[in-house]
Amino acid sequence: MPATSTAGLMDGTALARRLVERSAAKAATITERTGAAPCLATVLVGEDPASVTYVRMKRNRCAKAGITSRHVELPAATTTAELVGTLTELSRDPGVHGILLQHPVGAHIDERAAFEAIAPEKDVDGVTMHSFAAMGFGLPGFVSCTPGGILRLLDAYDVPLAGKHAVVVGRSPILGKPVGMLLLGRDATVTYCHSRTADLSGHVRQADILVAAVGRPRFLAGADIKPGAVVIDAGYNPGNVGDVDFDSARERASLITPVPGGVGPMTIAVLLAQTVDAAAEQLGLGLPPVN
Ligand code: NAP
Protein backbone atom coordinates (compact mmCIF):
# COMPACT_ATOMS: atom_id res chain seq x y z
CA MET A 1 0.00 0.00 0.00
CA PRO A 2 1.76 3.19 -1.10
CA ALA A 3 1.79 6.21 1.18
CA THR A 4 -0.28 9.09 -0.10
CA SER A 5 -0.39 12.64 1.11
CA THR A 6 -4.15 12.56 1.64
CA ALA A 7 -6.11 9.36 2.14
CA GLY A 8 -8.98 8.40 -0.11
CA LEU A 9 -12.36 8.28 1.59
CA MET A 10 -14.26 5.03 1.95
CA ASP A 11 -17.82 6.06 1.22
CA GLY A 12 -20.03 3.94 3.47
CA THR A 13 -23.13 5.96 2.61
CA ALA A 14 -22.91 5.09 -1.08
CA LEU A 15 -22.02 1.44 -0.44
CA ALA A 16 -24.84 1.09 2.09
CA ARG A 17 -27.30 2.59 -0.41
CA ARG A 18 -26.33 -0.02 -3.01
CA LEU A 19 -26.65 -2.81 -0.45
CA VAL A 20 -30.09 -1.58 0.61
CA GLU A 21 -31.16 -1.41 -3.06
CA ARG A 22 -30.12 -5.02 -3.58
CA SER A 23 -31.89 -6.04 -0.35
CA ALA A 24 -35.04 -4.22 -1.48
CA ALA A 25 -34.94 -6.02 -4.83
CA LYS A 26 -34.67 -9.38 -3.07
CA ALA A 27 -37.45 -8.40 -0.62
CA ALA A 28 -39.67 -7.57 -3.63
CA THR A 29 -38.96 -10.98 -5.17
CA ILE A 30 -39.84 -12.71 -1.88
CA THR A 31 -43.08 -10.74 -1.61
CA GLU A 32 -44.00 -11.50 -5.21
CA ARG A 33 -43.35 -15.23 -4.82
CA THR A 34 -44.94 -15.76 -1.42
CA GLY A 35 -47.47 -12.95 -1.05
CA ALA A 36 -45.83 -11.81 2.18
CA ALA A 37 -42.88 -9.50 2.78
CA PRO A 38 -39.84 -10.45 4.88
CA CYS A 39 -40.50 -9.50 8.50
CA LEU A 40 -38.11 -8.21 11.16
CA ALA A 41 -39.28 -8.25 14.78
CA THR A 42 -37.78 -5.46 16.86
CA VAL A 43 -37.85 -5.79 20.63
CA LEU A 44 -37.28 -2.79 22.86
CA VAL A 45 -37.12 -2.94 26.64
CA GLY A 46 -37.71 0.39 28.39
CA GLU A 47 -37.60 3.87 26.99
CA ASP A 48 -33.94 4.80 26.70
CA PRO A 49 -34.07 7.69 24.18
CA ALA A 50 -31.06 6.52 22.13
CA SER A 51 -32.49 2.99 21.88
CA VAL A 52 -35.92 4.34 20.90
CA THR A 53 -34.26 6.38 18.11
CA TYR A 54 -32.14 3.44 16.88
CA VAL A 55 -35.16 1.14 16.68
CA ARG A 56 -37.21 3.78 14.89
CA MET A 57 -34.39 4.31 12.36
CA LYS A 58 -34.11 0.58 11.73
CA ARG A 59 -37.88 0.19 11.25
CA ASN A 60 -38.01 3.16 8.87
CA ARG A 61 -35.21 1.69 6.79
CA CYS A 62 -37.01 -1.66 6.73
CA ALA A 63 -40.20 -0.01 5.48
CA LYS A 64 -38.30 1.75 2.68
CA ALA A 65 -36.75 -1.56 1.60
CA GLY A 66 -40.06 -3.45 1.52
CA ILE A 67 -39.42 -5.31 4.78
CA THR A 68 -42.24 -5.28 7.32
CA SER A 69 -41.41 -4.93 10.97
CA ARG A 70 -43.24 -6.08 14.04
CA HIS A 71 -42.43 -3.96 17.03
CA VAL A 72 -42.62 -5.28 20.59
CA GLU A 73 -42.26 -2.72 23.37
CA LEU A 74 -41.72 -4.05 26.87
CA PRO A 75 -41.65 -2.05 30.11
CA ALA A 76 -38.29 -1.31 31.75
CA ALA A 77 -39.24 -3.62 34.64
CA THR A 78 -39.48 -6.67 32.34
CA THR A 79 -37.76 -9.70 33.87
CA THR A 80 -35.26 -11.97 32.13
CA ALA A 81 -37.87 -14.75 32.06
CA GLU A 82 -40.47 -12.49 30.44
CA LEU A 83 -38.03 -11.26 27.81
CA VAL A 84 -36.85 -14.81 27.10
CA GLY A 85 -40.52 -15.78 26.74
CA THR A 86 -41.17 -13.03 24.19
CA LEU A 87 -38.07 -13.89 22.17
CA THR A 88 -38.91 -17.61 22.24
CA GLU A 89 -42.39 -16.88 20.89
CA LEU A 90 -40.96 -14.74 18.08
CA SER A 91 -38.41 -17.45 17.32
CA ARG A 92 -41.28 -19.94 16.84
CA ASP A 93 -43.48 -17.61 14.82
CA PRO A 94 -43.23 -18.52 11.12
CA GLY A 95 -44.36 -15.01 10.19
CA VAL A 96 -41.18 -13.51 11.70
CA HIS A 97 -37.92 -14.04 9.78
CA GLY A 98 -35.46 -11.93 11.75
CA ILE A 99 -35.28 -10.77 15.37
CA LEU A 100 -33.51 -7.73 16.70
CA LEU A 101 -33.24 -7.21 20.46
CA GLN A 102 -32.17 -3.60 20.93
CA HIS A 103 -29.41 -3.50 23.50
CA PRO A 104 -28.27 -2.65 26.08
CA VAL A 105 -31.27 -3.98 27.98
CA GLY A 106 -31.63 -3.06 31.66
CA ALA A 107 -28.86 -4.10 34.06
CA HIS A 108 -31.30 -6.38 35.93
CA ILE A 109 -31.76 -8.51 32.79
CA ASP A 110 -29.44 -11.36 31.86
CA GLU A 111 -28.68 -10.10 28.36
CA ARG A 112 -26.89 -13.29 27.31
CA ALA A 113 -29.88 -15.43 28.29
CA ALA A 114 -32.11 -13.12 26.26
CA PHE A 115 -29.89 -13.25 23.17
CA GLU A 116 -29.73 -17.04 23.38
CA ALA A 117 -33.54 -17.22 23.11
CA ILE A 118 -33.22 -15.96 19.53
CA ALA A 119 -33.29 -18.86 17.06
CA PRO A 120 -29.96 -18.92 15.14
CA GLU A 121 -31.76 -18.82 11.78
CA LYS A 122 -33.44 -15.56 12.86
CA ASP A 123 -30.36 -14.00 14.47
CA VAL A 124 -29.96 -11.30 11.82
CA ASP A 125 -28.09 -9.03 14.27
CA GLY A 126 -25.47 -11.74 14.87
CA VAL A 127 -25.65 -11.71 18.67
CA THR A 128 -26.03 -15.37 19.63
CA MET A 129 -23.27 -17.75 20.65
CA HIS A 130 -24.18 -19.80 17.58
CA SER A 131 -23.53 -16.86 15.25
CA PHE A 132 -20.34 -15.94 17.10
CA ALA A 133 -19.01 -19.49 16.83
CA ALA A 134 -19.91 -19.67 13.14
CA MET A 135 -17.94 -16.43 12.61
CA GLY A 136 -15.01 -17.95 14.50
CA PHE A 137 -15.06 -21.21 12.56
CA GLY A 138 -15.60 -19.43 9.24
CA LEU A 139 -18.90 -21.25 8.76
CA PRO A 140 -22.04 -19.80 7.17
CA GLY A 141 -24.18 -17.80 9.57
CA PHE A 142 -25.18 -14.27 10.36
CA VAL A 143 -22.42 -11.87 11.34
CA SER A 144 -22.54 -8.99 13.78
CA CYS A 145 -23.77 -6.14 11.62
CA THR A 146 -21.03 -3.54 12.18
CA PRO A 147 -18.14 -6.01 11.68
CA GLY A 148 -19.96 -7.41 8.63
CA GLY A 149 -20.28 -3.87 7.28
CA ILE A 150 -16.58 -3.22 7.84
CA LEU A 151 -15.61 -6.33 5.86
CA ARG A 152 -17.93 -5.28 3.04
CA LEU A 153 -16.30 -1.83 2.98
CA LEU A 154 -12.80 -3.33 2.83
CA ASP A 155 -13.87 -5.61 0.00
CA ALA A 156 -15.61 -2.83 -1.91
CA TYR A 157 -12.34 -0.88 -1.91
CA ASP A 158 -10.32 -3.98 -2.88
CA VAL A 159 -8.19 -3.79 0.26
CA PRO A 160 -5.97 -6.88 0.36
CA LEU A 161 -6.29 -8.65 3.71
CA ALA A 162 -4.25 -11.85 3.44
CA GLY A 163 -0.89 -11.49 5.16
CA LYS A 164 -1.62 -7.93 6.27
CA HIS A 165 -1.28 -6.89 9.88
CA ALA A 166 -4.67 -5.81 11.18
CA VAL A 167 -4.74 -4.07 14.55
CA VAL A 168 -8.14 -3.87 16.22
CA VAL A 169 -8.42 -1.42 19.10
CA GLY A 170 -11.39 -2.59 21.18
CA ARG A 171 -12.65 -6.07 22.03
CA SER A 172 -16.37 -5.72 22.65
CA PRO A 173 -18.48 -8.78 21.81
CA ILE A 174 -20.46 -6.96 19.11
CA LEU A 175 -17.64 -5.07 17.43
CA GLY A 176 -13.95 -5.46 18.26
CA LYS A 177 -13.84 -9.21 18.88
CA PRO A 178 -15.91 -10.29 15.87
CA VAL A 179 -14.24 -7.90 13.42
CA GLY A 180 -10.88 -9.40 14.43
CA MET A 181 -12.29 -12.90 13.89
CA LEU A 182 -13.58 -11.98 10.44
CA LEU A 183 -10.21 -10.46 9.50
CA LEU A 184 -8.42 -13.57 10.77
CA GLY A 185 -10.79 -15.66 8.67
CA ARG A 186 -9.54 -13.71 5.68
CA ASP A 187 -5.92 -14.48 6.53
CA ALA A 188 -4.93 -11.19 8.10
CA THR A 189 -2.56 -11.33 11.07
CA VAL A 190 -4.63 -9.85 13.84
CA THR A 191 -3.61 -8.01 16.99
CA TYR A 192 -6.26 -7.01 19.52
CA CYS A 193 -5.68 -3.99 21.76
CA HIS A 194 -7.80 -3.00 24.75
CA SER A 195 -7.70 -0.95 27.91
CA ARG A 196 -5.00 -3.15 29.47
CA THR A 197 -2.72 -3.20 26.43
CA ALA A 198 0.84 -2.04 27.11
CA ASP A 199 2.37 0.28 24.49
CA LEU A 200 -0.80 0.80 22.49
CA SER A 201 0.93 3.29 20.15
CA GLY A 202 3.62 0.74 19.37
CA HIS A 203 0.96 -1.74 18.20
CA VAL A 204 -1.02 0.86 16.28
CA ARG A 205 2.13 1.95 14.42
CA GLN A 206 2.48 -1.56 12.98
CA ALA A 207 -1.01 -1.71 11.50
CA ASP A 208 -1.51 -2.12 7.76
CA ILE A 209 -5.20 -2.10 8.60
CA LEU A 210 -6.31 -0.25 11.71
CA VAL A 211 -9.80 -0.74 13.13
CA ALA A 212 -10.75 1.73 15.84
CA ALA A 213 -13.58 0.47 18.06
CA VAL A 214 -12.92 2.21 21.34
CA GLY A 215 -15.68 4.73 21.98
CA ARG A 216 -13.31 7.63 22.81
CA PRO A 217 -13.30 10.73 20.65
CA ARG A 218 -10.17 11.23 18.49
CA PHE A 219 -8.36 8.65 20.63
CA LEU A 220 -5.99 7.46 17.90
CA ALA A 221 -3.65 10.11 16.54
CA GLY A 222 -2.39 10.43 12.98
CA ALA A 223 1.22 10.43 14.21
CA ASP A 224 0.81 6.76 15.21
CA ILE A 225 -0.59 5.65 11.88
CA LYS A 226 1.72 3.77 9.55
CA PRO A 227 2.05 5.64 6.25
CA GLY A 228 -0.26 3.99 3.71
CA ALA A 229 -2.40 2.17 6.30
CA VAL A 230 -6.11 1.62 5.78
CA VAL A 231 -8.00 3.18 8.68
CA ILE A 232 -11.48 2.02 9.66
CA ASP A 233 -13.05 4.24 12.29
CA ALA A 234 -16.05 2.48 13.84
CA GLY A 235 -16.26 4.99 16.67
CA TYR A 236 -19.28 7.18 16.96
CA ASN A 237 -19.02 9.72 19.75
CA PRO A 238 -21.16 12.73 20.61
CA GLY A 239 -20.83 15.48 18.03
CA ASN A 240 -20.34 13.00 15.13
CA VAL A 241 -16.73 12.42 16.12
CA GLY A 242 -14.91 9.15 15.53
CA ASP A 243 -12.26 7.36 17.56
CA VAL A 244 -9.55 8.49 15.13
CA ASP A 245 -8.26 12.02 14.78
CA PHE A 246 -9.46 12.28 11.18
CA ASP A 247 -7.47 15.31 9.98
CA SER A 248 -4.06 14.04 11.10
CA ALA A 249 -4.83 10.41 10.18
CA ARG A 250 -5.84 11.41 6.69
CA GLU A 251 -2.36 12.80 6.07
CA ARG A 252 -0.83 9.34 6.57
CA ALA A 253 -3.43 6.73 5.64
CA SER A 254 -4.09 5.51 2.10
CA LEU A 255 -7.81 4.98 2.77
CA ILE A 256 -9.95 6.11 5.66
CA THR A 257 -13.61 5.97 6.66
CA PRO A 258 -15.15 9.35 7.52
CA VAL A 259 -17.37 9.84 10.56
CA PRO A 260 -20.20 10.14 9.81
CA GLY A 261 -20.67 8.41 6.46
CA GLY A 262 -18.20 5.54 6.83
CA VAL A 263 -18.93 2.51 8.99
CA GLY A 264 -22.20 3.83 10.48
CA PRO A 265 -24.51 3.49 7.46
CA MET A 266 -23.21 -0.02 6.77
CA THR A 267 -24.57 -1.41 10.05
CA ILE A 268 -28.26 -1.02 9.22
CA ALA A 269 -27.63 -2.02 5.60
CA VAL A 270 -26.16 -5.35 6.76
CA LEU A 271 -29.12 -5.85 9.13
CA LEU A 272 -31.55 -5.45 6.21
CA ALA A 273 -29.52 -7.72 3.93
CA GLN A 274 -29.38 -10.43 6.59
CA THR A 275 -33.13 -10.10 7.23
CA VAL A 276 -34.06 -10.72 3.59
CA ASP A 277 -31.51 -13.54 3.40
CA ALA A 278 -33.07 -15.09 6.52
CA ALA A 279 -36.55 -14.83 5.01
CA ALA A 280 -35.52 -16.41 1.70
CA GLU A 281 -33.76 -19.23 3.53
CA GLN A 282 -36.70 -19.95 5.87
CA LEU A 283 -39.12 -19.89 2.97
CA GLY A 284 -36.92 -22.26 0.96
CA LEU A 285 -36.77 -19.95 -2.05
CA GLY A 286 -33.21 -20.84 -3.09
CA LEU A 287 -32.25 -17.23 -3.79
CA PRO A 288 -28.57 -16.20 -3.58
CA PRO A 289 -27.53 -14.06 -0.58
CA VAL A 290 -27.51 -10.30 -0.98
CA ASN A 291 -23.93 -9.32 -1.77
P1 NAP B 1 -17.42 -0.86 24.26
O1 NAP B 1 -18.26 -2.06 24.48
O2 NAP B 1 -17.41 0.24 25.26
O3 NAP B 1 -15.91 -1.36 24.04
C1 NAP B 1 -14.86 -0.44 23.95
C2 NAP B 1 -13.56 -1.17 23.83
O4 NAP B 1 -12.52 -0.21 23.80
C3 NAP B 1 -13.29 -2.13 24.99
O5 NAP B 1 -12.80 -3.34 24.52
C4 NAP B 1 -12.24 -1.38 25.81
O6 NAP B 1 -11.29 -2.22 26.43
C5 NAP B 1 -11.53 -0.57 24.74
N1 NAP B 1 -10.93 0.61 25.35
C6 NAP B 1 -11.53 1.53 26.14
N2 NAP B 1 -10.65 2.45 26.55
C7 NAP B 1 -9.45 2.09 26.02
C8 NAP B 1 -8.15 2.62 26.09
N3 NAP B 1 -7.89 3.72 26.81
N4 NAP B 1 -7.17 2.02 25.42
C9 NAP B 1 -7.42 0.90 24.68
N5 NAP B 1 -8.65 0.34 24.58
C10 NAP B 1 -9.64 0.93 25.24
O7 NAP B 1 -17.77 -0.15 22.88
P2 NAP B 1 -18.35 -0.75 21.49
O8 NAP B 1 -19.77 -1.07 21.64
O9 NAP B 1 -17.41 -1.78 20.95
O10 NAP B 1 -18.26 0.57 20.61
C11 NAP B 1 -17.03 1.19 20.30
C12 NAP B 1 -17.30 2.43 19.46
O11 NAP B 1 -17.93 2.03 18.26
C13 NAP B 1 -18.26 3.44 20.10
O12 NAP B 1 -17.88 4.74 19.70
C14 NAP B 1 -19.60 3.10 19.50
O13 NAP B 1 -20.49 4.21 19.45
C15 NAP B 1 -19.18 2.70 18.12
N6 NAP B 1 -20.14 1.78 17.46
C16 NAP B 1 -20.57 2.14 16.24
C17 NAP B 1 -21.46 1.32 15.58
C18 NAP B 1 -21.94 1.70 14.23
O14 NAP B 1 -22.93 1.24 13.77
N7 NAP B 1 -21.19 2.55 13.55
C19 NAP B 1 -21.91 0.13 16.17
C20 NAP B 1 -21.41 -0.22 17.42
C21 NAP B 1 -20.53 0.61 18.07
P3 NAP B 1 -11.67 -3.25 27.63
O15 NAP B 1 -12.36 -4.40 26.95
O16 NAP B 1 -10.38 -3.60 28.21
O17 NAP B 1 -12.61 -2.50 28.54
Side-chain angles (χ1 to χ4, degrees), residues 202-219:
H203 290 292
V204 169
R205 271 187 240 124
Q206 291 173 30
D208 299 312
I209 298 156
L210 176 66
V211 181
V214 195
R216 290 177 179 244
R218 298 192 186 93
F219 181 67

Side-chain angles (χ1 to χ4, degrees), residues 1-9 225-230 248-256:
M1 281 173 264
T4 53
S5 55
T6 311
L9 290 183
I225 287 165
K226 182 174 171 177
V230 173
S248 60
R250 200 177 178 188
E251 297 305 311
R252 290 170 74 98
S254 59
L255 281 171
I256 188 167

Side-chain angles (χ1 to χ4, degrees), residues 146 170-172 174-175 194-195 213-216 219 234-237 264 267:
T146 306
R171 57 172 169 179
S172 73
I174 55 136
L175 181 45
H194 46 78
S195 66
V214 195
R216 290 177 179 244
F219 181 67
Y236 190 67
N237 304 292
T267 300

Side-chain angles (χ1 to χ4, degrees), residues 36-286:
C39 175
L40 175 71
T42 55
V43 179
L44 178 65
V45 182
E47 289 164 12
D48 170 63
S51 295
V52 170
T53 305
Y54 284 137
V55 170
R56 192 185 308 125
M57 265 168 55
K58 289 167 187 173
R59 298 188 67 216
N60 286 343
R61 293 292 183 76
C62 279
K64 283 189 187 146
I67 299 168
T68 56
S69 58
R70 190 187 300 177
H71 186 49
V72 181
E73 262 178 31
L74 298 171
T78 300
T79 64
T80 299
E82 286 164 345
L83 181 56
V84 165
T86 298
L87 292 164
T88 305
E89 258 176 54
L90 292 169
S91 290
R92 289 184 185 143
D93 185 337
V96 168
H97 305 112
I99 300 172
L100 172 101
L101 170 61
Q102 185 63 40
H103 54 95
V105 289
H108 66 287
I109 292 177
D110 180 347
E111 186 175 89
R112 180 48 43 204
F115 283 150
E116 294 312 311
I118 298 172
E121 67 274 16
K122 298 188 182 184
D123 180 22
V124 293
D125 203 24
V127 293
T128 60
M129 289 199 272
H130 181 280
S131 298
F132 193 82
M135 269 185 281
F137 285 123
L139 292 171
F142 295 118
V143 295
S144 301
C145 293
T146 306
I150 289 171
L151 267 287
R152 284 176 187 262
L153 262 172
L154 290 166
D155 286 342
Y157 283 83
D158 293 322
V159 176
L161 302 176
K164 299 296 176 189
H165 189 175
V167 176
V168 180
V169 188
R171 57 172 169 179
S172 73
I174 55 136
L175 181 45
K177 230 175 248 178
V179 82
M181 282 161 41
L182 294 176
L183 288 164
L184 182 65
R186 297 284 298 275
D187 298 323
T189 301
V190 179
T191 300
Y192 284 102
C193 299
H194 46 78
S195 66
R196 307 291 296 273
T197 296
D199 190 18
L200 180 76
S201 302
H203 290 292
V204 169
R205 271 187 240 124
Q206 291 173 30
D208 299 312
I209 298 156
L210 176 66
V211 181
V214 195
R216 290 177 179 244
R218 298 192 186 93
F219 181 67
L220 299 172
D224 285 338
I225 287 165
K226 182 174 171 177
V230 173
V231 176
I232 302 289
D233 189 352
Y236 190 67
N237 304 292
N240 280 345
V241 175
D243 288 347
V244 174
D245 181 51
F246 181 82
D247 292 337
S248 60
R250 200 177 178 188
E251 297 305 311
R252 290 170 74 98
S254 59
L255 281 171
I256 188 167
T257 56
V259 178
V263 173
M266 292 301 296
T267 300
I268 296 187
V270 170
L271 175 73
L272 301 191
Q274 296 199 138
T275 300
V276 292
D277 284 348
E281 192 65 30
Q282 284 158 48
L283 295 163
L285 297 178

